[in-house]
Amino acid sequence: MKSIQELEKISSQVRRDIVRMVSRANSGHPGGSMSSADFLTALYFQVMDHNPQTWTREGHGQDVFILSAGHLTPVYYSILARAGYFPVADLGTFRKFGSPLQGHPSIRKGLNGITQASGSLGQGVSAAAGIAIGKKLDKEDKTVYVMCGDGESEEGQIWEAALFAAHHNLDNLVAMTDWNGQQIDGTTDSVAGNGDLQAKWEAFGWATIVADGHDMAAILDAFAKAKALRGKGKPIMILFKTDMGHGVDFMAGTCKWHGKAPSAEQCDAAMGQLTETLGDF
Amino acid sequence: MKQYTDSGKKDTRSGFGAGLLEAGKRNPNVVALTADLKGSLKMDAFADAFPERFIQCGIAEANMVGVAAGLAITGKVPFAGSFAEFITGRVYDQIRQEVAYGKTNVKLASSHAGITLGEDGATHQTMEDIALMRALPDMVVINPCDYNQTKAATIAAAEYDGPVYLRFGRPGVPNFTEPDAPFQIGKIYNMNEGKDVTIVATGHLVWEALQAAQVLENEGISAEVLDVATIKPLDEKALVASVLKTGAAVVAEEHNCAGGLGELVAGVLARTTPKPLEFINGGDRFGQTGTPAELMAAYGLDAAHIVAAAKAAIARK
């Protein structure tokens, strides 16, 4: 069991990793990585039943995580490295030629911990639903987690998957939405008006939970509620209310940092706002 | 020439259904998915025998491909089935990311391929699917010639570890290969040895090619007939050896000219064995409503057109 303070220390380091990785690569997606950093830290360091040493792509005997919003590799790789899936030093190779840390997740480069390719949006909930059925067929009492963005939820396939998972009573499936209200071209409401996502998921037959995605106690409470809802006949959606770019004042609350790299000077300024807790890569 | 007997017209989709049932009996990890086309894909017998391993996805093909990929990740061997257009063109990006790039052991079961599904017309008739699937790295593309071969190919696809596109059709077509003959992925089957021209055929046009070879033989022309049941990976060695021997070739397929077997064969021969080459295909066109026989004649996909193309190729030697 990790304390809230310990989890907050990890997520602070994860945010440093995100900004430094994207700045060094001079490309990548810091905004959504920072908005999802707290709940993904909680997921990997407290909630999920997993073991980096015995992990396999098949996922037998462990919980599984799928990153549907594949552009969020900065947060994903940082957390995987900090959790022990591969050396933290490898984060310095992010987006470099020959690196297993591809711009979007790949299963072809031998990177430990990656279950499925993603990047083309809207597809991860379907894959997670397939894994959830596989676990049911194998009578494996494990949970499949999948994370998607709120902008990503404009993809029609998300709602095909929503209908499917509810119809098949996939109550071993826990999805998370990073509800930061931003996407590349502006706010989600100004771009596509995706509105009340909780009401939509409820209408599709899911059990839903809404939580503050930057309050570690609220995040842990939401995951505890999700675990309590497992096996009750419905798939579960946790909608985490977040801010894009959270943790650095000049990056927060705007779509401008969705897919933009901070300069060296901006990176230094950001480091002044994020505490180094576990040692930089 | 070698004689083949049509044991009675059968639809190749029923060969798939029979092969799926057999694959399901042999391997408990085989599962089947459909997008509201269980009957059309002849999946009923599998669904009745293994109800817990049959997954109805509703009319949502994109989700179905993703679910199949997820099942494959857990070690299942999923066959995801729909009409050829809807299991390729409609879901190309899903196949690209979740199946091909994602290297998942998914079998895409593609029925009602080509124009010979008939009366439904052009929205349901794809002659672009081979091009789409061929373009994907690591995708195996299989287009069997009759019921028996489709059944065997389905069983072979289940035993192969990797993404497979398995193409078959709706109309009854002659069933002439040996029942329960083993199917080898990546092998060209030499159906008739000849010395004047090679007819390179795939799918049910192999039967048309054999009819054409008989007509040619009656006119004193010896035609070799190759059954390209696996389009990717292509058995280049068998192809090149045949064309080196005969010195001319015709490629016959129920597919448009762009990206099909014809262009594939032309590319191989241009590199290795440039010889006169003629093409039997749907051209650069959409389909239309009609009976399979009417459409095959109208689009030039029958034995008579293959005969003319063979003579044209020989004349250019």
Side-chain angles (χ1 to χ4, degrees), chain A residues 111-231:
Chain A
L111 191 61
N112 197 41
I114 306 290
T115 296
Q116 178 62 322
S118 57
S120 178
L121 293 174
Q123 302 185 23
V125 183
S126 301
I131 295 169
I133 295 175
K135 290 210 176 287
K136 283 190 178 250
L137 286 171
D138 290 338
K139 308 211 181 323
E140 237 189 65
D141 187 24
K142 296 292 169 191
T143 305
V144 183
Y145 294 92
V146 57
M147 184 215 150
C148 46
D150 54 354
E152 182 186 12
S153 303
E154 291 156 17
E155 291 281 6
Q157 188 182 342
I158 290 280
W159 303 103
E160 291 185 7
L163 200 67
F164 175 87
H167 179 73
H168 288 275
N169 305 113
L170 299 183
D171 53 13
N172 57 344
L173 176 63
V174 176
M176 295 157 273
T177 298
D178 180 24
W179 200 354
N180 61 30
Q182 303 285 344
Q183 58 189 110
I184 297 176
D185 278 353
T187 65
T188 51
D189 281 339
S190 71
V191 172
N194 61 10
D196 188 345
L197 288 174
Q198 186 185 18
K200 289 183 167 79
W201 285 95
E202 284 277 344
F204 275 78
W206 288 51
T208 64
I209 299 159
V210 177
D212 180 342
H214 298 308
D215 176 338
M216 200 54 84
I219 291 167
L220 293 178
D221 182 55
F223 279 123
K225 283 178 180 160
K227 281 194 175 176
L229 284 164
R230 278 185 85 272

Side-chain angles (χ1 to χ4, degrees), chain A residues 103-115:
Chain A
H104 292 79
S106 173
I107 57 87
R108 287 176 172 256
K109 305 292 180 185
L111 191 61
N112 197 41
I114 306 290
T115 296

Side-chain angles (χ1 to χ4, degrees), chain B residues 101 162 186:
Chain B
Y101 182 59

